[in-house]
Amino acid sequence: MNTEFLEEDGTLVFVYNADTGWRQAFWDTLHKYMRPDTYGCNLCKLTHGPIGPRESWRAFLQAVDRPVHFLHRDEYRELQAEKDLEAVALPAVLQVRSGHLRILLSARELNAVKRLEDLVDVLRERLA
């Protein structure tokens, strides 16, 4: 796995509580819309619509003025094993600081967010 993103302080790392792959994405999308109350990734639910990232999410990411990296659950587990990182409840927003990943927004906090606008506000506040 390419881990160069760990070398740049300030990089945001968004970790989804979903695995990679087109089949997984298909089933996740179905689950998200048919049984949203039982869907396990609030980060996915808030930031993505049925065909991709929401426009306001894209706008936030372009305006954030720092590198951004995305990982799925299986990718984070691979990185965790490779770099001997601590386990983190997912979904989560992490930030690279001095070569280490630090929690910027925990799973508990992220799962409490109900609207994309609120997520963006919390992230802006913590990054200020």
Side-chain angles (χ1 to χ4, degrees):
M1 168 180 282
N2 183 350
T3 60
E4 290 178 14
F5 67 93
L6 293 173
E7 297 171 16
E8 190 165 354
D9 263 13
T11 296
L12 294 178
V13 181
F14 294 90
V15 187
Y16 299 110
N17 191 26
D19 291 329
T20 56
W22 69 269
R23 284 189 180 128
Q24 185 67 39
F26 172 78
W27 290 114
D28 282 344
T29 300
L30 277 178
H31 188 177
K32 185 171 28 174
Y33 290 98
M34 296 185 76
R35 305 269 328 259
D37 52 320
T38 64
Y39 186 65
C41 186
N42 201 41
L43 180 60
C44 299
K45 196 173 359 177
L46 293 169
T47 62
H48 285 69
I51 57 172
R54 298 182 193 285
E55 191 55 42
S56 58
W57 180 240
R58 285 184 212 203
F60 166 73
L61 294 174
Q62 288 177 341
V64 78
D65 195 34
R66 64 187 65 224
V68 177
H69 195 78
F70 298 91
L71 295 172
H72 289 85
R73 178 179 46 216
D74 55 327
E75 294 168 319
Y76 182 76
R77 287 181 180 151
E78 180 184 333
L79 178 67
Q80 182 184 355
E82 186 177 313
K83 294 290 186 179
D84 196 30
L85 302 173
E86 67 178 79
V88 173
L90 300 177
V93 181
L94 311 173
Q95 186 175 26
V96 177
R97 291 192 206 138
S98 302
H100 298 282
L101 284 172
R102 306 285 185 220
I103 297 173
L104 186 65
L105 196 60
S106 70
R108 191 185 89 243
E109 294 169 310
L110 198 90
N111 288 330
V113 176
K114 301 297 180 210
R115 300 175 325 131
L116 177 56
E117 296 80 10
D118 297 332
L119 172 62
V120 168
D121 288 345
V122 169
L123 289 170
R124 281 189 178 132
E125 179 181 302
R126 297 213 178 158
L127 294 170

